[in-house]
Amino acid sequence: MTYRGTDDLRGYLKDAILPRLEYAPKATPLCISGHKTHRNHLTVRNQRYRQLYNISPIKPLYDMLVVEWIKKKIPNRSLGVLDEDEETGRTLSVPSSHKFEIAHISLPPVRDLERIYSFVLQFPLQTAERIIHLVFPKAKCWHFETNFDDNDTAIYREIHWSDYLDSEHPANKYVAIIIACQPSWILSYEDLWQFTELCSLPTDEFHFRGKERLWGKLWDSCVRKRAHFFVLTSYQHWVFGTFSEGYTSALVSPVISAGSRDPTIMEALVYWIATALGAPDSFMWPNIPEPINNLHPEFKIPESPKDLSALAFAESLSSWDGKSEEPVSSAGCATAVPDEDMKTPTIFLKPRDSSKTREMVRTWLAGVLSSNIMRPQHLTISEEWKGDTNAEPLMSDFFDELSSLCSSSSEDTETGAPQGHWLALPCSDVKESVVLAIPKSTTMP
């Protein structure tokens, strides 16, 4: 007797192993096992704006996190639906144990990045999308979409897990996770292992190697799309990672092979996508101190110019030929900066009274939070939703995210004063400020 994958999603995921890659005779030869390829020539250079100071492994063990979450949240009873979504055509396509009757998809042998890209889309990503939609019906507006707007499309491709905020304006969309794909003759196991072992991105004048270029590429993509989760894969091997709220720290899993069984790639992928959407009991970042500027919604990095001539300096329009010792007014800017201001510059000092400092930060922070430092409201799913499975709905706790702004350590603690870093606010005060800053038309989760 055979079953559909939807009759036991947990059992299906446990035995779902990615189909083996077959390489065409004309495909680029793979490098020797245990060696780097030295072919990862991404157009990424060392830039000072990248502030990635700490890269660490995910703790506790990533494998344990995945397996425990799958046991709790993925149902093992029949959902009473077909494997294929009649509306979108998405279906369970990764083969599993013999008891499951899974639709067979045949793809030609791999000879270039385009074919590997097809394998990633047709097997793991299509299956993961269908499972997320089955377990969390409120996430059905989320889907994978391809992205070719890049200078490195010959050796690097991205796929975005995104949701349209406004169907009339497709450019307004939120990206929760970025899947980065490179062929295995460019991204070997050794390359991926060294990628996970890097401790930080250098900030001095340092010539980037392959692993630094990969981190720089992912950092740039995630910051531009405001995504905090990513997956790096050659299809043969996978790494799952996440950036902190301010993108100054990153956590990564160990390298997982396509044939892994504890967990399987499908279990790890479904878990990481659900985590990016704020699923209950999934991975959560510990509180870490970060520059407040990085937490601001207007935090940006420069776009990569497609035409290098755009970097040319514009000709100066100034005709002033004065000397440095001449008064500022001689340059025609006396109305903006009086000469006497240059002689007696204003010096701003932090108030010595901690209560005044907190009041100053409270006022400033209320204005910043009103600019929407949070996940978009469409990520929140109502507590009243009742699913057909025993899995819980995706939830995004608004106040839990705000509490991460408060540090657990203290540099200036007074008797009777709130605990925490001198810049931290009591979370109750933060919540009160945010409630006052949200427009009346906004529905609180």
Side-chain angles (χ1 to χ4, degrees), residues 272-287:
W272 210 231
I273 295 171
T275 300
L277 293 178
D281 298 329
S282 58
F283 173 81
M284 293 185 61
W285 262 93
N287 293 340

Side-chain angles (χ1 to χ4, degrees), residues 133-433:
H133 291 171
L134 285 169
V135 179
F136 306 110
K138 290 290 185 178
K140 200 165 184 178
C141 55
W142 290 81
H143 61 278
F144 283 112
E145 64 172 14
T146 57
N147 176 62
F148 296 103
D149 186 20
D150 194 276
N151 296 331
D152 297 305
T153 52
I155 61 173
Y156 177 93
R157 299 287 178 86
E158 285 183 359
I159 305 164
H160 298 166
W161 176 250
S162 61
D163 172 32
Y164 290 113
L165 299 177
D166 187 347
S167 58
E168 296 181 0
H169 302 282
N172 298 329
K173 58 189 175 184
Y174 177 74
V175 176
I177 189 169
I178 292 178
I179 315 292
C181 176
Q182 287 194 292
S184 46
W185 53 82
I186 290 178
L187 189 64
S188 67
Y189 176 87
E190 184 68 18
D191 289 303
L192 273 171
W193 180 81
Q194 292 199 14
F195 172 85
T196 62
E197 290 296 307
L198 193 66
C199 295
S200 65
L201 269 185
T203 56
D204 54 359
E205 297 296 331
F206 180 83
H207 180 69
F208 271 9
R209 297 162 294 183
K211 53 187 176 182
E212 286 92 6
R213 285 194 290 269
L214 266 175
W215 272 112
K217 188 77 171 181
L218 285 168
W219 194 92
D220 289 354
S221 295
C222 287
V223 171
R224 289 194 179 105
K225 297 297 182 181
R226 301 304 295 173
H228 288 88
F229 292 82
F230 65 87
V231 178
L232 178 60
T233 180
S234 64
Y235 186 86
Q236 301 282 36
H237 301 97
W238 298 68
V239 168
F240 301 86
T242 174
F243 290 106
S244 60
E245 191 70 18
Y247 300 93
T248 59
S249 297
L251 297 175
V252 289
S253 73
V255 182
I256 304 177
S257 67
S260 172
R261 287 190 172 272
D262 194 18
T264 64
I265 289 298
M266 290 312 308
E267 287 178 319
L269 185 59
V270 169
Y271 168 72
W272 210 231
I273 295 171
T275 300
L277 293 178
D281 298 329
S282 58
F283 173 81
M284 293 185 61
W285 262 93
N287 293 340
I288 60 172
E290 295 189 281
I292 192 64
N293 288 340
N294 292 33
L295 302 176
H296 198 279
E298 295 182 0
F299 171 61
K300 296 179 180 179
I301 62 173
E303 292 288 343
S304 298
K306 292 181 172 54
D307 182 7
L308 296 181
S309 63
L311 298 177
F313 291 100
E315 183 179 355
S316 174
L317 300 178
S318 173
S319 59
W320 182 59
D321 58 357
K323 306 298 181 182
S324 59
E325 62 271 13
E326 295 185 20
V328 177
S329 56
S330 66
C333 59
T335 56
V337 184
D339 292 343
E340 55 269 18
D341 289 347
M342 301 299 292
K343 298 176 182 178
T344 58
T346 303
I347 300 177
F348 295 94
L349 299 176
K350 185 185 78 174
R352 301 179 69 87
D353 187 347
S354 300
S355 61
K356 291 183 179 180
T357 300
R358 287 192 293 272
E359 181 62 31
M360 176 185 67
V361 175
R362 181 185 294 110
T363 303
W364 172 82
L365 187 59
V368 173
L369 290 175
S370 65
S371 301
N372 200 24
I373 299 184
M374 63 192 81
R375 288 184 177 178
Q377 292 291 333
H378 68 279
L379 275 181
T380 302
I381 293 180
S382 173
E383 295 181 2
E384 299 176 358
W385 171 75
K386 303 295 183 183
D388 295 331
T389 73
N390 56 5
E392 298 180 22
L394 291 176
M395 296 294 295
S396 179
D397 193 323
F398 179 70
F399 291 138
D400 282 351
E401 293 189 13
L402 291 179
S403 65
S404 66
L405 296 176
C406 300
S407 172
S408 59
S409 62
S410 176
E411 293 179 2
D412 184 10
T413 304
E414 299 178 5
T415 304
Q419 297 291 321
H421 189 276
W422 72 275
L423 279 178
L425 291 174
C427 292
S428 59
D429 292 344
V430 177
K431 297 177 188 178
E432 180 181 357
S433 301

Side-chain angles (χ1 to χ4, degrees), residues 19-231:
R20 183 178 177 180
L21 280 184
E22 296 292 341
Y23 292 95
K26 294 184 179 180
T28 305
L30 303 180
C31 73
I32 302 174
S33 178
H35 290 257
K36 295 171 57 179
T37 65
H38 300 285
R39 297 168 178 164
N40 211 343
H41 305 303
L42 295 169
T43 57
V44 177
R45 299 295 179 266
N46 191 349
Q47 300 288 348
R48 292 185 177 180
Y49 62 75
R50 296 192 190 97
Q51 304 171 22
L52 184 55
Y53 304 129
N54 180 58
I55 303 170
S56 304
I58 296 177
K59 295 181 179 180
L61 294 178
Y62 184 75
D63 297 358
M64 184 189 307
L65 290 174
V66 174
V67 172
E68 290 301 318
W69 188 88
I70 292 293
K71 287 181 180 179
K72 290 181 180 179
K73 302 302 177 184
I74 301 299
N76 60 353
R77 58 184 176 83
S78 178
L79 304 182
V81 296
L82 299 175
D83 289 353
E84 182 178 357
D85 188 328
E86 296 180 355
E87 181 181 346
T88 64
R90 295 288 188 266
T91 186
L92 304 182
S93 57
V94 176
S96 187
S97 65
H98 294 299
K99 76 174 185 178
F100 295 106
E101 187 176 356
I102 304 300
H104 177 71
I105 298 178
S106 179
L107 294 178
V110 170
R111 64 183 180 190
D112 52 23
L113 174 58
E114 194 67 38
R115 293 281 173 85
I116 290 184
Y117 192 68
S118 298
F119 266 81
V120 172
L121 276 172
Q122 293 297 326
F123 290 110
L125 297 193
Q126 178 180 203
T127 300
E129 181 175 325
R130 177 60 173 152
I131 291 175
I132 291 292
H133 291 171
L134 285 169
V135 179
F136 306 110
K138 290 290 185 178
K140 200 165 184 178
C141 55
W142 290 81
H143 61 278
F144 283 112
E145 64 172 14
T146 57
N147 176 62
F148 296 103
D149 186 20
D150 194 276
N151 296 331
D152 297 305
T153 52
I155 61 173
Y156 177 93
R157 299 287 178 86
E158 285 183 359
I159 305 164
H160 298 166
W161 176 250
S162 61
D163 172 32
Y164 290 113
L165 299 177
D166 187 347
S167 58
E168 296 181 0
H169 302 282
N172 298 329
K173 58 189 175 184
Y174 177 74
V175 176
I177 189 169
I178 292 178
I179 315 292
C181 176
Q182 287 194 292
S184 46
W185 53 82
I186 290 178
L187 189 64
S188 67
Y189 176 87
E190 184 68 18
D191 289 303
L192 273 171
W193 180 81
Q194 292 199 14
F195 172 85
T196 62
E197 290 296 307
L198 193 66
C199 295
S200 65
L201 269 185
T203 56
D204 54 359
E205 297 296 331
F206 180 83
H207 180 69
F208 271 9
R209 297 162 294 183
K211 53 187 176 182
E212 286 92 6
R213 285 194 290 269
L214 266 175
W215 272 112
K217 188 77 171 181
L218 285 168
W219 194 92
D220 289 354
S221 295
C222 287
V223 171
R224 289 194 179 105
K225 297 297 182 181
R226 301 304 295 173
H228 288 88
F229 292 82
F230 65 87
V231 178

